[in-house]
Amino acid sequence: MLAEFDLIRRYLMPSQTPLPADGVALGGGDDAALLVPKAGHQLAVSVDTSVVDVHFPHDAPAFAVGHRSLAVALSDLAAMGADPRWCFMALTLDQRTFANDHAIHAWLEAFAKGFHTLCQRQATTLAGGDVTSGALTIGVTVMGEAPTGHALTRAGATPGDMIAVTGALGGGAGGLALWQRGERDLQHPLLRRYLLPEPRLAAGVALRGLASAAIDISDGLLADLGHLRKASGVGATLDMTSLPLAEALESSLGRDAACNAALSGGDDYELLVTLPAENVASAQRALGKLGLPLTVIGQCSDTLGVKGIAPNLGTGWQHFNEGAP
Ligand SMILES: Nc1ncnc2c1ncn2[C@@H]1O[C@H](COP(=O)(O)OP(=O)(O)O)[C@@H](O)[C@H]1O
Ligand SMILES: Cc1ncc(C[n+]2csc(CCOP(=O)(O)OP(=O)(O)O)c2C)c(N)n1
Ligand SMILES: [Mg+2]
């Protein structure tokens, strides 16, 4: 068994020295962190929880669990067009599920590596957290900044705006399906999409001033488009033939399952944005510089609802439905 404070010192917060450059006036080790937001900016704050066997499989590699739990939280900052600054991790861990102390240390080391590596890549400082015992759960609070009045929201779309997505869709659900069939090669493009999603932070910032509304795709394209439509008060017409499908998705699952995964599977963590038609080319150029495609998949309308898709298609992931605990 590893004691709470040893675990924190050893794996989670190895350095408790405040770094003024990171905007941390007082970091981990006290009752709360003291943070220094940039003048002229608004804070974007969001929390997401990742639960074993709900969000990731119990036998997922620890590195992926660390990476993923931060990535899905950061994805909400990407959707706001916010620059990430700080995060907080609430880790609940059941040490009795490990064979021995060596297994606990090995798991924590790889978990922390996955988390810290993404922190570093996305200039995010782990400024505090909490450790408790219980079923493996990682709650991650993220805090970012956007210049006052310039954050993207779900509410800015107007009829006539084009609807576009970054990257490719269906890889999250496709990867989960493959994992459930026993695929374990982490180099497989679909497994990577499910277990090691990349939050589209640079894209979100690049789309500030170009996109009229944005949301990240966690529950599924149709479900998240539904949230955006509702917040903006618009309808949508989709062109199913233009959906960018994830690499290897159609060949692994077949056409129908691939389209279902792209429309309703969730776990893609791409950005779904609306933008005036005249901004599409600039947005594609800006994202092209990041190596990320932006594909137009439809248009907003003033007739509420969605046209262009079969009405019987599932609407995406919902907790407390059958299948979920
Ligand atoms: N327990 C809660 N208490 C207060 N607000 C909540 C709670 N759960 C969710 N929300 C709010 O409901 C909205 C939708 O949540 P969610 O579907 O988790 O968003 P996302 O997909 O962006 O993570 C968010 O604005 C979130 O802050
Ligand atoms: C083991 C496992 N089973 C099922 C799923 C599918 N799944 C679980 S939660 C979820 C939706 C996203 O999670 P949620 O907690 O709703 O995130 P949020 O929308 O708040 O970002 C999906 C697609 C999964 N990721 N892993
Ligand atoms: Mg959430």
Side-chain angles (χ1 to χ4, degrees), residues 47-49 51-58 68 72 76 172-173 176 179-180 194 216 218-220 224 264-267 269 316-319:
V47 63
D48 270 316
T49 309
V51 180
V52 65
D53 285 334
V54 174
H55 295 87
F56 59 88
H58 58 272
R68 195 179 191 284
V72 301
D76 283 316
L176 172 59
W179 181 273
Q180 286 167 340
Y194 169 48
D216 65 316
S218 54
D219 295 334
D224 290 310
S264 320
D267 279 336
Y269 299 101
W317 177 272
Q318 284 196 33
H319 293 290

Side-chain angles (χ1 to χ4, degrees), residues 110-131:
F111 168 81
K113 189 153 187 222
F115 195 96
H116 289 306
T117 304
L118 185 60
C119 272
Q120 252 176 11
R121 197 159 70 237
Q122 297 292 357
T124 307
T125 303
L126 178 63
D130 189 35
V131 173

Side-chain angles (χ1 to χ4, degrees), residues 5 26 44 48 80 82 105 113 121 164 209 225 302:
F5 296 108
L26 183 65
D48 270 316
M80 299 295 291
H105 282 279
K113 189 153 187 222
R121 197 159 70 237
L225 177 61
D302 50 14

Side-chain angles (χ1 to χ4, degrees), residues 1-318:
M1 289 281 164
L2 186 55
E4 182 181 338
F5 296 108
D6 293 338
L7 189 162
I8 296 168
R9 242 192 319 275
R10 190 145 171 195
Y11 294 109
L12 304 180
M13 296 280 271
S15 161
Q16 300 198 340
T17 323
L19 291 176
D22 293 340
V24 181
L26 183 65
D30 215 302
D31 293 310
L34 295 176
L35 307 176
V36 189
K38 273 199 215 109
H41 287 65
Q42 288 172 314
L43 278 180
V45 184
S46 174
V47 63
D48 270 316
T49 309
S50 292
V51 180
V52 65
D53 285 334
V54 174
H55 295 87
F56 59 88
H58 58 272
D59 48 355
F63 181 93
V65 177
H67 171 102
R68 195 179 191 284
S69 58
L70 175 60
V72 301
L74 284 174
S75 179
D76 283 316
L77 294 187
M80 299 295 291
D83 288 294
R85 301 275 336 254
W86 307 287
C87 65
F88 293 79
M89 181 214 294
L91 172 65
T92 303
L93 187 69
D94 185 350
Q95 296 200 18
R96 296 167 310 181
T97 58
F98 294 89
N100 51 42
D101 274 8
H102 173 76
I104 298 172
H105 282 279
W107 192 92
L108 280 167
E109 192 172 341
F111 168 81
K113 189 153 187 222
F115 195 96
H116 289 306
T117 304
L118 185 60
C119 272
Q120 252 176 11
R121 197 159 70 237
Q122 297 292 357
T124 307
T125 303
L126 178 63
D130 189 35
V131 173
T132 51
S133 61
L136 181 60
T137 304
I138 307 103
V140 179
T141 300
V142 287
M143 305 176 81
E145 291 171 331
T148 300
H150 292 275
L152 300 171
T153 72
R154 300 174 177 186
T158 49
D161 282 354
M162 307 310 285
I163 301 171
V165 288
T166 60
L169 300 176
L176 172 59
L178 288 193
W179 181 273
Q180 286 167 340
R181 289 180 200 171
E183 176 64 61
R184 291 294 182 270
D185 177 8
L186 279 187
Q187 295 311 314
H188 193 294
L190 292 176
L191 239 48
R192 295 191 75 80
R193 295 298 312 243
Y194 169 48
L195 290 173
L196 298 166
E198 278 302 325
R200 301 306 191 189
L201 288 151
V205 169
L207 288 164
R208 275 194 320 233
L210 294 171
S212 50
I215 187 168
D216 65 316
I217 302 177
S218 54
D219 295 334
L221 172 66
L222 291 180
D224 290 310
L225 177 61
H227 298 315
L228 186 151
R229 286 192 295 107
K230 191 167 173 216
S232 293
V234 297
T237 304
L238 292 183
D239 172 13
M240 283 289 296
T241 58
S242 62
L243 282 189
L245 296 182
E247 184 189 341
L249 185 64
E250 211 174 330
S251 57
S252 303
L253 300 189
R255 175 80 191 162
D256 285 356
C259 287
N260 252 327
L263 287 170
S264 320
D267 279 336
D268 279 331
Y269 299 101
E270 294 291 355
L271 299 184
L272 169 67
V273 299
T274 60
L275 66 181
E278 63 268 24
N279 288 354
V280 169
S282 320
Q284 285 174 329
R285 258 196 310 279
L287 266 56
K289 286 186 193 147
L290 304 170
L292 196 61
L294 181 73
T295 310
V296 172
I297 59 165
Q299 194 167 15
C300 297
S301 66
D302 50 14
T303 330
L304 297 189
V306 182
K307 288 190 186 146
I309 51 145
N312 59 340
L313 282 167
T315 46
W317 177 272
Q318 284 196 33

